[in-house]
Amino acid sequence: MKKTEPKICIIGSGNVAFHFTQILTQTGFNVVGIYARNHIASLQIAQQNSIKIFEKISEIPTDLDLYLVCVSDDAVVNVVNELKEVEGIVAHTSGSVAIQNSAKRNAVFYPLQTFSKSRKVVWGEIPILIESDRKNDLELLQIWASKISEKVSVLNSEQRKSLHLAAVMCNNFTNHLLELSFEILEKKNISTFFLHPLLKETISKAMELGPKNAQTGPAKRNDIKVINEHLKLLENDEVRNLYQFFSQAIIKKYHKNE
Amino acid sequence: MKKTEPKICIIGSGNVAFHFTQILTQTGFNVVGIYARNHIASLQIAQQNSIKIFEKISEIPTDLDLYLVCVSDDAVVNVVNELKEVEGIVAHTSGSVAIQNSAKRNAVFYPLQTFSKSRKVVWGEIPILIESDRKNDLELLQIWASKISEKVSVLNSEQRKSLHLAAVMCNNFTNHLLELSFEILEKKNISTFFLHPLLKETISKAMELGPKNAQTGPAKRNDIKVINEHLKLLENDEVRNLYQFFSQAIIKKYHKNE
């Protein structure tokens, strides 16, 4: 087995499978094929990357180096269980699912990013969190992951779960906040482009100063008058509750001794 | 009066006054001086920009072109009222305070950004929202604002208030979410740097695709198992409530017909 050109099979056809197949193929790995329940999506990925498509999981060769399981969290257990006879490493790519024990060589290969098919991925910056109980396999995963990203780290399942939780809050919840904010502007026919420089600075500032030192605004200043005016502007109960919740939490954080 | 070199007095000594004095001086405006209740902070700004400091508001010359009121929202009314005798434009810089009527020439000059003294400001990208009841003054403000930013727009007080509300949600609330997420990692001794590429992509993706098309994650997939596992991980009641609130809102948004 050449360490630098492992033979890989992709299992799954979602956003993670889509982007992993692309980067692994481009980096020169030997991606021999793809298997997924969704035939249309897997056919598309297979054609785009000129790889084979396996119609059944039992058709996948058992002598590959890596079986990359890119399926939804609740399907990981079953899929890994179906790969218990294979000789290579069976690595799933989920943040919240613990390392499995049903395959011969169980592992995790978790890329911490939000993937959409329509977005280009800058792989070099993306943390890849790897896990394996076998020292040799961990070394292999480290070598392989380092070919596609500069940020490879070993995390255990418990740490990875906390990281995934933090990622959900940072990404999904922030995105929801942005959606609610954009809706406020759209209702009043105000361009959402006005918010773009603020959004970029919000993240840059939080990364450089840390969010604790980056906070500003009415709740930070305990400016009840502005807060009440904003609450009056909000017609949607849910958004008003959200506004109140955040403002109270920020006031509590910065003014608890007053 | 030369339109391109208006004589300006800054009122206030907070983050907005600090950055406005700097950019206006650097751009070649004639910033004649600064007045603020906080003598130490205003002295610092005066020294850094080699401008005069006025000890009392009554010392400010009445024949300047622009009085830029960079005080906290609840002080705007009083400060503008104390400038009712001046001949120039009295523009406040607050997102949430309506245009005043006590000065001779009332206006608004609102820069939409989060300012901290320790952060460099990229003025060219920052939306400056201007307002005035006088056509000539609006033209002057447009000319002046265009010297420091490429994104100058006229908004009325009602529109500006909605924009400020959206900005508070996007910036202050997002920053709070980041703070809570970072705390989860810090408690487990996991580096918050892991989240940086995700944060950058969250914003880029939302700006390019729109937040509605950018959403991913367990709540978007209605993955109750992962959501429940995350809830179990959260020891803090407040954060658990927040997690539940967002997850329910996202599920409702994407699965309401199921």
Side-chain angles (χ1 to χ4, degrees):
Chain A
M1 184 188 72
K2 284 190 198 170
K3 277 182 187 177
T4 51
E5 283 173 26
K7 284 176 283 173
I8 300 175
C9 179
I10 304 289
I11 295 107
S13 60
N15 297 335
V16 175
F18 177 90
H19 285 292
F20 256 135
T21 308
Q22 217 164 52
I23 187 65
L24 291 170
T25 309
Q26 284 165 10
T27 311
F29 289 90
N30 183 3
V31 182
V32 298
I34 184 169
Y35 163 78
R37 272 185 312 185
N38 184 332
H39 281 266
I40 295 170
S42 52
L43 191 64
Q44 220 166 31
I45 297 176
Q47 285 173 341
Q48 277 164 357
N49 298 280
S50 307
I51 58 171
K52 203 175 163 179
I53 186 159
F54 300 111
E55 300 289 336
K56 293 179 195 166
I57 205 161
S58 56
E59 286 181 13
I60 305 173
T62 57
D63 63 344
L64 306 180
D65 299 303
L66 178 63
Y67 300 79
L68 203 57
V69 178
C70 312
V71 300
S72 62
D73 295 1
D74 52 0
V76 170
V77 174
N78 283 339
V79 169
V80 172
N81 205 37
E82 290 196 72
L83 293 166
K84 62 186 167 198
E85 303 299 340
V86 304
E87 300 300 330
I89 299 175
V90 178
H92 75 71
T93 55
S94 157
S96 63
V97 179
I99 189 165
Q100 300 294 293
N101 54 24
S102 56
K104 291 181 183 169
R105 294 158 70 191
N106 300 279
V108 181
F109 202 85
Y110 169 53
L112 177 56
Q113 187 53 290
T114 166
F115 295 100
S116 294
K117 284 182 179 157
S118 60
R119 293 280 299 168
K120 209 172 171 306
V121 175
V122 186
W123 276 98
E125 288 183 4
I126 296 179
I128 297 182
L129 294 323
I130 57 174
E131 182 179 7
S132 165
D133 291 336
R134 293 164 170 242
K135 200 168 160 276
N136 288 348
D137 286 353
L138 207 55
E139 273 171 26
L140 283 173
L141 293 169
Q142 178 89 45
I143 292 166
W144 297 339
S146 301
K147 301 249 171 212
I148 56 177
S149 168
E150 290 159 21
K151 297 186 181 167
V152 182
S153 299
V154 178
L155 278 197
N156 65 35
S157 289
E158 195 203 330
Q159 292 169 316
R160 194 177 58 254
K161 205 178 269 191
S162 290
L163 185 56
H164 182 243
L165 165 61
V168 163
M169 290 175 61
C170 277
N171 173 265
N172 306 159
F173 296 178
T174 292
N175 188 73
H176 186 67
L177 264 179
L178 302 190
E179 197 171 340
L180 297 177
S181 313
F182 281 30
E183 280 170 3
I184 289 171
L185 297 189
E186 281 157 3
K187 264 187 205 161
K188 306 259 180 182
N189 286 316
I190 302 168
S191 167
T192 57
F193 282 104
F194 284 132
L195 293 173
H196 286 197
L198 179 68
L199 291 176
K200 284 192 258 177
E201 175 65 3
T202 301
I203 298 304
S204 302
K205 203 174 165 183
M207 291 193 300
E208 280 183 38
L209 307 182
K212 208 180 177 73
N213 301 316
Q215 194 57 285
T216 57
K220 164 81 184 292
R221 296 193 305 270
N222 203 4
D223 188 335
I224 304 297
K225 206 181 151 205
V226 170
I227 292 171
N228 284 337
E229 280 185 28
H230 282 170
L231 289 171
K232 260 188 262 170
L233 270 183
L234 290 166
E235 290 155 12
N236 180 316
D237 281 347
E238 198 179 301
V239 186
R240 204 187 304 114
N241 285 343
L242 185 87
Y243 188 99
Q244 217 146 14
F245 183 95
F246 271 102
S247 295
Q248 280 165 0
I250 296 169
I251 290 171
K252 200 174 142 198
K253 196 148 219 137
Y254 292 93
H255 299 270
K256 58 185 163 193
N257 298 322
E258 288 173 16
Chain B
M1 183 191 69
K2 285 190 199 170
K3 279 181 187 179
T4 51
E5 285 172 25
K7 284 176 284 175
I8 300 175
C9 179
I10 304 289
I11 295 107
S13 60
N15 297 337
V16 175
F18 177 91
H19 285 292
F20 257 136
T21 308
Q22 218 165 51
I23 188 65
L24 291 169
T25 308
Q26 283 165 9
T27 312
F29 288 90
N30 182 4
V31 182
V32 298
I34 184 169
Y35 164 78
R37 275 185 311 184
N38 184 332
H39 281 267
I40 295 169
S42 52
L43 190 64
Q44 221 166 30
I45 297 175
Q47 285 174 341
Q48 278 165 355
N49 298 279
S50 306
I51 58 170
K52 203 173 164 180
I53 185 160
F54 301 111
E55 299 289 335
K56 294 178 193 167
I57 204 162
S58 57
E59 284 180 13
I60 304 173
T62 58
D63 63 344
L64 306 181
D65 298 303
L66 177 63
Y67 300 79
L68 203 57
V69 179
C70 312
V71 299
S72 62
D73 295 4
D74 52 0
V76 169
V77 174
N78 283 339
V79 168
V80 173
N81 204 37
E82 289 197 73
L83 294 165
K84 62 185 169 195
E85 302 298 342
V86 304
E87 301 299 329
I89 299 175
V90 178
H92 75 71
T93 56
S94 158
S96 63
V97 179
I99 189 165
Q100 300 294 292
N101 55 24
S102 58
K104 290 179 184 170
R105 293 159 68 191
N106 300 281
V108 180
F109 202 85
Y110 168 53
L112 177 56
Q113 189 51 290
T114 165
F115 295 100
S116 293
K117 283 179 181 161
S118 60
R119 292 280 299 168
K120 210 172 171 301
V121 175
V122 185
W123 276 99
E125 287 182 4
I126 296 179
I128 298 182
L129 294 322
I130 57 173
E131 181 178 7
S132 166
D133 292 335
R134 294 164 169 240
K135 200 167 161 275
N136 288 347
D137 286 354
L138 206 55
E139 273 171 26
L140 284 172
L141 293 169
Q142 177 89 44
I143 291 166
W144 297 339
S146 301
K147 300 250 171 211
I148 56 178
S149 169
E150 289 160 20
K151 297 186 182 168
V152 182
S153 300
V154 178
L155 277 197
N156 66 35
S157 289
E158 195 202 331
Q159 292 170 317
R160 195 177 56 255
K161 204 177 271 190
S162 291
L163 186 56
H164 182 243
L165 165 60
V168 163
M169 290 175 60
C170 278
N171 172 265
N172 306 159
F173 296 178
T174 292
N175 187 73
H176 187 67
L177 264 178
L178 302 190
E179 198 171 338
L180 298 177
S181 313
F182 282 30
E183 280 171 4
I184 288 171
L185 297 189
E186 282 157 2
K187 263 187 208 163
K188 306 260 180 182
N189 286 316
I190 303 168
S191 166
T192 58
F193 282 104
F194 284 132
L195 294 174
H196 286 196
L198 179 67
L199 291 176
K200 283 193 260 177
E201 175 65 3
T202 302
I203 298 303
S204 302
K205 202 173 166 184
M207 291 194 300
E208 279 182 40
L209 307 182
K212 207 181 178 73
N213 301 318
Q215 191 60 282
T216 57
K220 164 81 184 290
R221 296 192 305 269
N222 203 4
D223 188 334
I224 302 298
K225 204 178 152 209
V226 171
I227 291 171
N228 284 338
E229 279 185 29
H230 282 170
L231 287 171
K232 260 188 262 170
L233 271 183
L234 290 166
E235 290 155 13
N236 179 315
D237 282 347
E238 200 179 298
V239 186
R240 204 185 307 114
N241 285 341
L242 186 87
Y243 188 99
Q244 217 146 13
F245 183 96
F246 272 101
S247 295
Q248 280 165 0
I250 296 169
I251 290 172
K252 202 176 140 195
K253 196 149 221 138
Y254 292 93
H255 300 270
K256 59 185 164 194
N257 299 322
E258 287 173 16

